[in-house]
Amino acid sequence: MLYSLYLSFTNFDVLGTPEWVGLANYERLFFADQRYLHSLTLTLGYVVVSVPVQLAAALGVALILAPNRRGQGIYRALFYLPSLLGASVGVSIVWRALFQRSGTVPELLGTFGFSEQSWIDNPSMIIWVIILLEVWKFGAPMVIFIAGLHQIPQEQYEAAALDGAGKFRTFINITLPALSPVVFFNLVMGVITAFQTFTPAQVVGDGTGGPSDSTMFYAVYLYQKGFQDMQMGYASAISWVMLVILGIIAAILFATSKKWVQYGND
């Protein structure tokens, strides 16, 4: 890590000797590299959309699977399975095949009257393919939500029922506040993971960040600069800016959590 920090202030092509350039790499990042700024904006938008949707899906399924019914463990395992598969190359290839013009999804939508167009070749739609893939892997936060739901005292629900509170009111006033530490944990981890998304964007975008840089995520651009263009000094600067950005986001989340996260002794 310390060596990469040093490299971020150099011009280094991996094969030669690092040449000290000072802040030139960082100046280029923020003032001259429009593709970098595009990758940053695209990644932030992806995080803002995919993480809340994934957490909402995880919480919704957790509420259904939390009660200990017969055979419930099988359903939990099935919903958790995508998280075990992760964002592997194989899964990403299958996902790409599902949404290309001759894939299952366009053909299925075609039966309902929609045009059978390829999501992969459409710059405005391919980002949603990657978002859907990220949301599909909600198994890990789901398991954590289920554990959190089991920690809520049943006496609180019984008291709410005696007071005549409905399911929605009970969810808002009891379940969500009690789950707020779990929501906070899943939110922080989800943001960090989503910001570093690489394999789905690289595979679904055919390794070029296309079409029209619509899958040029932050990590994809970092990879291209470091391992394709052999600009390792510049790529090191990109990686350290990522670390700073994630640190700032985490600090903001921790600072704002005081207003909505309620622990057992609150």
Side-chain angles (χ1 to χ4, degrees):
M1 289 181 63
L2 292 177
Y3 186 58
S4 73
L5 179 60
Y6 162 72
L7 290 179
S8 71
F9 296 100
T10 67
N11 182 15
F12 180 47
D13 63 358
V14 180
L15 301 177
T17 302
E19 177 186 352
W20 183 266
V21 293
L23 295 175
N25 287 331
Y26 294 95
E27 292 175 356
R28 175 185 169 191
L29 275 178
F30 295 113
F31 302 108
D33 194 342
Q34 294 300 318
R35 293 191 77 197
Y36 167 76
L37 296 177
H38 168 74
S39 71
L40 176 59
T41 303
L42 177 67
T43 304
L44 289 174
Y46 167 77
V47 171
V48 168
V49 175
S50 65
V51 174
V53 174
Q54 185 189 63
L55 294 186
L59 178 56
V61 176
L63 290 170
I64 298 173
L65 299 182
N68 291 316
R69 304 187 184 98
R70 185 176 181 182
Q72 199 77 307
I74 298 176
Y75 292 106
R76 293 173 184 171
L78 290 175
F79 278 104
Y80 182 68
L81 183 60
S83 291
L84 292 178
L85 298 176
S88 64
V89 174
V91 171
S92 300
I93 291 175
V94 172
W95 210 257
R96 178 182 172 86
L98 287 174
F99 288 90
Q100 61 187 9
R101 183 174 182 82
S102 59
T104 303
V105 174
E107 290 184 355
L108 180 62
L109 293 176
T111 61
F112 294 97
F114 296 94
S115 60
E116 296 186 24
Q117 59 176 314
S118 171
W119 291 40
I120 303 300
D121 299 321
N122 190 325
S124 62
M125 296 181 68
I126 190 172
I127 182 66
W128 295 104
V129 176
I130 302 175
I131 289 175
L132 287 173
L133 176 55
E134 180 68 20
V135 173
W136 178 66
K137 301 179 297 176
F138 64 77
M142 177 202 72
V143 170
I144 299 174
F145 276 132
I146 291 176
L149 289 168
H150 286 171
Q151 299 301 315
I152 303 176
Q154 291 301 311
E155 292 81 2
Q156 296 185 18
Y157 291 110
E158 295 171 359
L162 291 175
D163 290 339
K167 291 185 178 180
F168 179 76
R169 178 67 64 181
T170 301
F171 175 76
I172 295 297
N173 291 343
I174 295 178
T175 305
L176 270 185
L179 277 181
S180 58
V182 180
V183 174
F184 176 64
F185 173 80
N186 281 333
L187 177 61
V188 172
M189 298 304 298
V191 167
I192 294 174
T193 301
F195 201 92
Q196 300 178 75
T197 297
F198 172 75
T199 302
Q202 179 77 349
V203 175
V204 176
D206 201 22
T208 62
S212 302
D213 281 352
S214 55
T215 58
M216 185 61 71
F217 281 41
Y218 200 103
V220 173
Y221 189 65
L222 189 157
Y223 171 80
Q224 288 189 1
K225 287 300 176 182
F227 297 98
Q228 292 182 353
D229 298 342
M230 305 299 284
Q231 300 178 18
M232 191 58 67
Y234 191 57
S236 297
I238 295 175
S239 66
W240 275 93
V241 173
M242 174 192 283
L243 177 63
V244 172
I245 291 174
L246 287 176
I248 292 173
I249 293 175
I252 293 173
L253 291 175
F254 273 92
T256 57
S257 68
K258 300 176 182 178
K259 298 181 179 180
W260 59 275
V261 177
Q262 300 180 18
Y263 295 97
N265 57 351
D266 290 346

